[in-house]
Amino acid sequence: MRFGGDTKRSSACRERKRRKRCPRFAAFAFAASEDEKEMQRNFGETVVVVTGCLGFIGSNLVSHLLERRNNRSQDDDVHENVIIIGIDVLDVEKGPYKKEDKRANLNRLMQIGKRRFVFIDRDISLGIELSMIERELRKRNKKKDEDFDDDFDAEDDSNVFKTIDGIIHCAAYSGVKDTLEDPSLAFRANVETTAIMIELAKRSEANFVFLSSGATYGDNFERKKPSREDEGIMGDDGKSMPQSPYALSKIAAEAVVRSYARAFTEIERRITITRIFTCFGNYGRPDMAITRFMQTLLDDENREKKLTMFGDGDESWRDYCHVSDVCSGIEKALWRENGSTCETVNVSRGEAVTLRRLVSSVQKAASEELKASSKTSSESDDDIKIIVEPRRPGDVGGTFADVTKAKDLLDFEAKISLEEGVASVANWYNSDEYKKHFKR
């Protein structure tokens, strides 16, 4: 829904009252036509729900959508004034994130978005109703809304006017290691929440983007070729078996999304599954390799600068994509115009990067930051030691994306190279913002 002006809000309030008087009208009004929704888009604001908004990709995505709203095409007035409804659990530690990191991300997003960012502190597995979204939007507009309906029944969905334009489901129990330790939580967090959010998208007739993972392809080390969206998963090709409960949970969540697309054909074109490969950047997940490397090397109190490399460095590779590029791809997926059905698309650089190259890039970037912050400028690449350990269970040997479909369907192409991205991450981990708000 767009909250554009007093006339628009008055109209919405009158419609709610008419629904209460006439149940048949309520049923008709709830199934608003596309013309009505398009008319609503001419007023005010576009509402996008982002789950997992305090995590790595989620928080970067929220800031991306808020900060880039003025850079869209002049012909596209639909998404220019975006309101973000962010959903996450603030004071419960699940996965790698600390409560302090979540609070720091929340404060950052509140400063960026101000009244255009609305936060809902809720565990999605408990359910998300349209009325919750509507109620939070009304709280935001209550001071300006002369027609705020005090007898609004939050449990009555017939009172819910069209609210949501897009949903991006980022929330997940992520990471191979954590899901190996608690696979049942991975399925509750990744599959059940996806079912809840796709149902919300169906009922609100919103565009829906689900963040899946390149881990669904399994290990393509033997094939040594990029993974395509139309290739088999779950061992259909005899090789692509998932390597962890995390990968399997994402495959199951994808199945939930596709089942909705097949069952409810009126919304299938609004649904996009994005498979994210190895995303890195500022505010990174604490358990990710680049994050751990930078925290170790740029810690002022850590006298011994060393990196731990699992495997020999040449026997594994990843497709590293900077988070700003990933956010651009997700945004394009949300508002895509191409395609006539539910689409699955890889969002990454499409480049196989060996672990040895990654370590070398991190080593160089960290050394440059250490030199820049050192009065003696004595730090060098040789001061950083590399420790080699055996590969860990669940880690895939090699995986990278075929990005042809992303270019054709979304007009998306990653722009930031590995070396540029790693250098920017090193600069951020050496910044005052990180040391003040995120260093633990």
Side-chain angles (χ1 to χ4, degrees):
M1 173 183 175
R2 320 284 184 220
F3 291 100
D6 291 341
T7 301
K8 182 70 175 69
R9 287 191 288 270
S10 298
S11 176
C13 186
R14 286 196 297 272
E15 180 167 353
R16 288 194 299 268
K17 291 176 181 177
R18 280 199 290 169
R19 290 183 192 183
K20 291 179 179 179
R21 292 195 299 267
C22 180
R24 283 184 296 175
F25 174 78
F28 171 78
F30 190 74
S33 69
E34 285 300 312
D35 290 340
E36 285 178 295
K37 291 193 76 178
E38 188 61 34
M39 180 182 68
Q40 291 171 20
R41 290 190 177 97
N42 293 327
F43 295 88
E45 299 152 343
T46 297
V47 178
V48 177
V49 174
V50 178
T51 68
C53 67
L54 303 183
F56 168 40
I57 295 179
S59 65
N60 275 282
L61 180 62
V62 170
S63 62
H64 169 89
L65 293 173
L66 291 171
E67 291 174 336
R68 287 181 57 83
R69 72 192 188 283
N70 294 324
N71 295 333
R72 298 185 176 93
S73 168
Q74 292 181 352
D75 296 330
D76 185 6
D77 60 352
V78 175
H79 316 305
E80 192 160 308
N81 296 315
V82 64
I83 302 298
I84 303 296
I85 306 293
I87 305 175
D88 211 324
V89 180
L90 184 58
D91 288 325
V92 176
E93 292 185 3
K94 287 186 177 180
Y97 298 105
K98 301 294 184 184
K99 289 185 288 186
E100 295 81 4
D101 293 338
K102 288 184 176 182
R103 287 196 168 276
N105 277 333
L106 177 59
N107 291 336
R108 175 171 62 92
L109 297 178
M110 295 294 288
Q111 291 176 1
I112 294 171
K114 297 182 172 61
R115 286 176 55 80
R116 292 183 298 109
F117 175 68
V118 179
F119 177 65
I120 298 177
D121 185 359
R122 185 167 177 85
D123 185 340
I124 298 172
S125 64
L126 300 177
I128 294 290
E129 297 295 334
L130 282 166
S131 55
M132 297 178 186
I133 309 295
E134 174 77 0
R135 183 168 53 195
E136 293 302 321
L137 285 173
R138 289 196 199 173
K139 287 180 182 178
R140 172 183 175 270
N141 290 276
K142 184 174 181 180
K143 292 182 180 179
K144 295 183 179 180
D145 193 350
E146 297 176 354
D147 296 306
F148 184 81
D149 194 353
D150 290 327
D151 62 352
F152 172 74
D153 183 358
E155 303 302 321
D156 184 1
D157 276 346
S158 68
N159 288 327
V160 179
F161 199 64
K162 289 298 174 184
T163 306
I164 306 169
D165 298 287
I167 296 174
I168 306 174
H169 184 36
C170 303
Y173 188 54
S174 56
V176 170
K177 181 177 179 294
D178 287 333
T179 61
L180 284 169
E181 294 175 354
D182 194 348
S184 62
L185 179 56
F187 276 82
R188 290 197 303 274
N190 297 349
V191 183
E192 290 182 17
T193 61
T194 301
I196 290 169
M197 295 312 298
I198 190 66
E199 171 66 15
L200 180 64
K202 184 200 76 170
R203 295 176 66 186
S204 59
E205 299 178 11
N207 292 354
F208 182 81
V209 176
F210 169 60
L211 268 64
S212 187
S213 170
T216 58
Y217 291 111
D219 193 344
N220 72 358
F221 178 77
E222 293 182 5
R223 295 180 298 164
K224 296 184 178 179
K225 66 176 185 178
S227 298
R228 277 200 333 264
E229 294 87 347
D230 59 354
E231 290 179 329
I233 56 177
M234 281 291 288
D236 290 346
D237 59 3
K239 297 179 181 178
S240 303
M241 288 298 292
Q243 303 293 301
S244 66
Y246 169 71
L248 188 57
S249 71
K250 284 295 188 179
I251 291 171
E254 284 192 17
V256 171
V257 173
R258 289 196 192 88
S259 69
Y260 262 75
R262 288 191 295 268
F264 306 101
T265 55
E266 68 275 13
I267 66 167
E268 64 177 338
R269 192 193 170 283
R270 298 177 179 274
I271 300 172
T272 309
I273 297 170
T274 57
R275 289 180 180 156
I276 312 300
F277 283 67
T278 305
C279 181
F280 73 100
N282 299 356
Y283 315 99
R285 241 175 52 203
D287 61 327
M288 296 293 285
I290 293 178
T291 302
R292 291 186 288 104
F293 289 165
M294 292 303 178
Q295 289 175 335
T296 299
L297 299 181
L298 299 177
D299 186 349
D300 296 334
E301 300 176 1
N302 183 16
R303 298 292 182 182
E304 187 177 11
K305 309 296 184 183
K306 63 181 181 180
L307 298 177
T308 300
M309 183 169 65
F310 295 96
D312 66 6
D314 294 318
E315 65 180 7
S316 65
W317 57 79
R318 297 288 186 277
D319 192 345
Y320 292 92
C321 191
H322 193 271
V323 67
S324 62
D325 280 332
V326 170
C327 291
S328 295
I330 294 170
E331 182 183 23
K332 286 177 178 289
L334 183 65
W335 308 121
R336 69 177 172 91
E337 297 180 353
N338 297 327
S340 58
T341 185
C342 170
E343 298 283 1
T344 301
V345 58
N346 295 330
V347 174
S348 199
R349 279 190 58 78
E351 180 184 21
V353 175
T354 64
L355 181 57
R356 187 176 298 279
R357 178 182 165 191
L358 172 68
V359 170
S360 176
S361 299
V362 169
Q363 191 177 24
K364 180 178 179 180
S367 295
E368 291 297 322
E369 285 298 320
L370 291 170
K371 288 177 185 177
S373 59
S374 173
K375 294 181 179 180
T376 61
S377 301
S378 59
E379 298 287 351
S380 69
D381 294 2
D382 294 334
D383 293 325
I384 299 174
K385 299 178 181 179
I386 299 176
I387 309 300
V388 179
E389 296 284 352
R391 283 176 58 186
R392 298 171 298 181
D395 280 349
V396 295
T399 177
F400 66 111
D402 185 318
V403 294
T404 304
K405 188 174 181 179
K407 294 176 184 178
D408 295 341
L409 185 73
L410 306 180
D411 189 28
F412 166 75
E413 188 171 3
K415 295 179 171 56
I416 301 174
S417 70
L418 173 74
E419 287 73 20
E420 290 172 329
V422 169
S424 70
V425 172
N427 181 260
W428 182 75
Y429 276 100
N430 202 33
S431 69
D432 292 337
E433 180 190 16
Y434 170 74
K435 293 176 181 178
K436 181 178 180 179
H437 298 293
F438 292 92
K439 184 177 179 181
R440 304 293 173 226

